[in-house]
């Protein structure tokens, strides 16, 4: 549920499921602001949203709708009888398989990922066996990495796929930079505080496809997760499925798609960086209502989404921000690099076979 400003405060609203809301913020006002005071007004709204909920909706043509539509088309929609990425033959996609948590690039087949708040490999393996994943994804990193290369389909297989995704990657990075500037201001830091800590674009663009599935194969609720990096920019189709846990009641609330908006949530590293001043909130994707196919069975509609996982530079040291600690509130975490944290979480999330070489 969403709302603009009420007479009640966000902190008051989120304490009850009946009034829970994810704030809707016009980020265009931040971009066109001509003074720090004007920027601070929007920055305070954003930081307050991350403090109380962990999520915000950004509106104001943050990214032009046509740019987002193009990414969705190249990922999964059949155009003029030509297969786009997720409609390629399985053997074609398998040649691009994800195989290295340090690289975090390539195609992830249905059933391989098992997201969880756990970091225990055995527990995650048990969860995977009980409730297999029902989506496929394509993971894309920065193109100019000195050690790792993206895995692209041939141009003849999906024309303009590579250039579309690289353009979108850069566009999302620019949004990340601007939002982090606003967070810095809202946390009483210089606006450019994060600039040299996020400028290498060590991010991850994830294209997600949820094929139709029979309801009898859906084993329980969606998999709860909290994202690993600083921010996640989520682009939903009209079907949606995202649910956000109310931090106060621990009940899940729908984060329905709002046309022209980006859903943005704080990740684990941003929570850690802020000494838990900002929330990394659990969320999940649940199956949409099924279409009945007989007296006892239904079929969910196909759906897709695009997520841009924003990360600090992989060699950045994440330690509690000076404005988020005090004598009365010392740092809760030891310093850690982005790479140490994220690679460890990725290795546990995906099934890593003994024959894989890193």
């Amino acid at each position: 549920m969403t709302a603009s400003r009420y007479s009640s405060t966000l902190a008051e609203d989120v304490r009850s499921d009946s009034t829970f809301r994810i704030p809707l913020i016009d980020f265009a006002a931040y971009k066109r602001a001509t003074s720090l005071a004007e920027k601070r007004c929007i920055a305070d709204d954003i930081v307050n949203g991350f403090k109380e909920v962990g999520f915000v909706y950004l509106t104001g043509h943050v990214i032009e709708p046509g740019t987002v539509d193009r990414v969705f088309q190249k990922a999964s929609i059949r155009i003029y009888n030509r297969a786009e990425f997720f409609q390629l033959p399985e053997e074609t996609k398998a040649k691009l398989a994800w195989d290295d948590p340090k690289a975090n690039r390539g195609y992830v087949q249905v059933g391989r990922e098992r997201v969880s708040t756990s970091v225990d490999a055995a527990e995650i393996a048990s969860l995977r066996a009980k409730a297999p994943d029902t989506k496929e994804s394509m993971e894309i990193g920065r193109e100019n990495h000195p050690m790792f290369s993206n895995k692209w389909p041939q141009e003849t297989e999906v024309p303009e796929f590579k250039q579309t995704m690289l353009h979108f990657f850069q566009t999302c990075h620019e949004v990340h930079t601007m939002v982090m500037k606003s967070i810095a201001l809202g946390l009483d830091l210089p606006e450019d505080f994060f600039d040299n800590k996020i400028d290498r674009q060590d991010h991850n663009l994830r294209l997600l496809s949820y094929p139709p599935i029979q309801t009898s194969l859906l084993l329980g609720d969606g998999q709860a997760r909290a994202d690993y990096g600083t921010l996640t920019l989520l682009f939903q189709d009209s079907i949606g499925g995202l649910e956000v846990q109310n931090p106060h009641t621990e009940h899940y609330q729908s984060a329905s798609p709002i046309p022209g908006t980006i859903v943005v949530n704080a990740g684990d590293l941003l929570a850690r960086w802020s000494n838990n001043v900002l929330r990394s909130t659990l969320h999940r994707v649940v199956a949409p209502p099924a279409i009945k196919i007989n007296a006892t069975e239904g079929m969910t509609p196909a759906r897709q989404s695009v997520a841009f996982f924003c990360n600090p530079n992989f060699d950045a040291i994440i330690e509690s921000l000076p404005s988020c600690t005090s004598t009365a509130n010392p740092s809760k975490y030891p310093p850690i690099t982005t790479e140490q944290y994220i690679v460890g979480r990725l290795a546990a999330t995906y099934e890593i076979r003994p024959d894989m070489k890193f």
Side-chain angles (χ1 to χ4, degrees):
M1 293 186 294
T2 63
S4 56
R5 295 178 184 274
Y6 293 138
S7 56
S8 61
T9 67
L10 180 63
E12 293 169 334
D13 287 346
V14 299
R15 294 188 179 277
S16 167
D17 290 333
S18 64
T19 57
F20 178 84
R21 60 187 173 99
I22 298 172
L24 177 63
I25 299 170
D26 181 5
F27 198 60
Y30 186 89
K31 294 192 293 182
R32 65 172 176 259
T34 57
S35 69
L36 279 179
E38 291 177 345
K39 289 183 175 182
R40 181 64 192 251
C41 182
I42 305 302
D44 286 345
D45 284 345
I46 290 174
V47 165
N48 192 43
F50 289 144
K51 284 181 177 179
E52 300 297 339
V53 184
F55 277 74
V56 300
Y57 287 99
L58 295 186
T59 187
H61 288 280
V62 182
I63 296 178
E64 290 301 319
T67 299
V68 179
D69 291 345
R70 180 69 171 163
V71 172
F72 273 82
Q73 289 174 353
K74 300 313 295 181
S76 191
I77 305 299
R78 187 176 291 274
I79 305 295
Y80 305 123
N81 295 319
R82 185 182 70 235
E84 301 296 339
F85 181 77
F86 285 119
Q87 293 177 330
L88 291 173
E90 285 300 318
E91 59 268 24
T92 301
K93 291 184 289 187
K95 295 176 183 177
L96 309 174
W98 185 104
D99 57 9
D100 185 341
K102 292 183 179 180
N104 194 26
R105 287 159 166 80
Y107 172 69
V108 180
Q109 67 187 24
V110 171
R112 185 167 183 198
E113 182 181 7
R114 206 340 164 165
V115 294
S116 169
T117 55
S118 174
V119 295
D120 181 82
E123 182 179 354
I124 292 173
S126 175
L127 288 169
R128 184 183 289 114
K130 292 178 181 178
D133 192 31
T134 58
K135 68 177 180 296
E136 56 183 337
S137 67
M138 180 63 173
E139 314 289 333
I140 299 167
R142 66 178 170 107
E143 182 72 353
N144 63 344
H145 196 283
M147 295 177 60
F148 306 116
S149 299
N150 282 312
K151 299 188 177 188
W152 300 110
Q154 297 296 315
E155 180 68 13
T156 53
E157 294 169 337
V158 189
E160 300 181 359
F161 179 85
K162 178 178 178 179
Q163 69 184 65
T164 298
M165 299 310 160
L166 289 180
H167 175 261
F168 191 65
F169 191 102
Q170 181 63 37
T171 301
C172 288
H173 169 70
E174 292 167 2
V175 172
H176 174 231
T177 300
M178 189 66 67
V179 176
M180 291 300 289
K181 286 179 180 291
S182 73
I183 291 172
L185 283 182
L187 292 177
D188 298 316
L189 298 167
E191 187 182 20
D192 64 355
F193 179 87
F194 294 108
D195 285 6
N196 65 356
K197 303 170 182 64
I198 62 173
D199 57 352
R200 292 186 189 166
Q201 305 189 27
D202 286 328
H203 314 306
N204 172 236
L205 172 59
R206 173 180 291 181
L207 313 177
L208 291 146
S209 173
Y210 298 82
I213 187 169
Q214 293 183 14
T215 51
S216 60
L217 300 177
L218 292 173
L219 305 177
D221 295 326
Q223 301 168 10
R225 72 176 300 152
D227 298 330
Y228 306 149
T230 49
L231 301 172
T232 298
L233 314 181
L234 178 66
F235 306 84
Q236 303 186 78
D237 65 9
S238 60
I239 297 173
L242 176 66
E243 292 187 345
V244 174
Q245 187 183 72
N246 183 331
H248 299 282
T249 68
E250 298 187 355
H251 297 153
Y252 282 90
Q253 305 292 323
S254 175
S256 301
I258 301 177
T261 66
I262 305 174
V263 181
V264 184
N265 66 277
D268 285 352
L269 277 181
L270 186 56
R272 186 176 180 128
W273 222 343
S274 70
N275 204 29
N276 289 352
V277 170
L278 307 182
R279 293 181 183 271
S280 179
T281 301
L282 286 176
H283 51 282
R284 65 188 183 186
V285 176
V286 297
I291 300 169
K292 192 171 184 178
I293 57 177
N294 59 44
T296 60
E297 188 63 278
M299 182 75 75
T300 66
R303 57 201 165 114
Q304 63 183 122
S305 63
V306 175
F308 188 79
F309 297 99
C310 308
N311 297 317
N313 299 341
F314 262 34
D315 63 355
I317 297 175
I318 307 303
E319 55 187 337
S320 296
L321 298 169
S323 62
C324 297
T325 58
S326 65
T327 302
N329 183 35
S331 176
K332 299 175 176 64
Y333 304 101
I336 193 171
T337 67
T338 303
E339 182 176 28
Q340 287 171 330
Y341 186 82
I342 290 181
V343 171
R345 294 300 302 270
L346 287 172
T349 296
Y350 294 99
E351 182 179 10
I352 306 298
R353 300 192 311 270
D355 61 325
M356 292 181 177
K357 305 297 184 183
F358 301 146

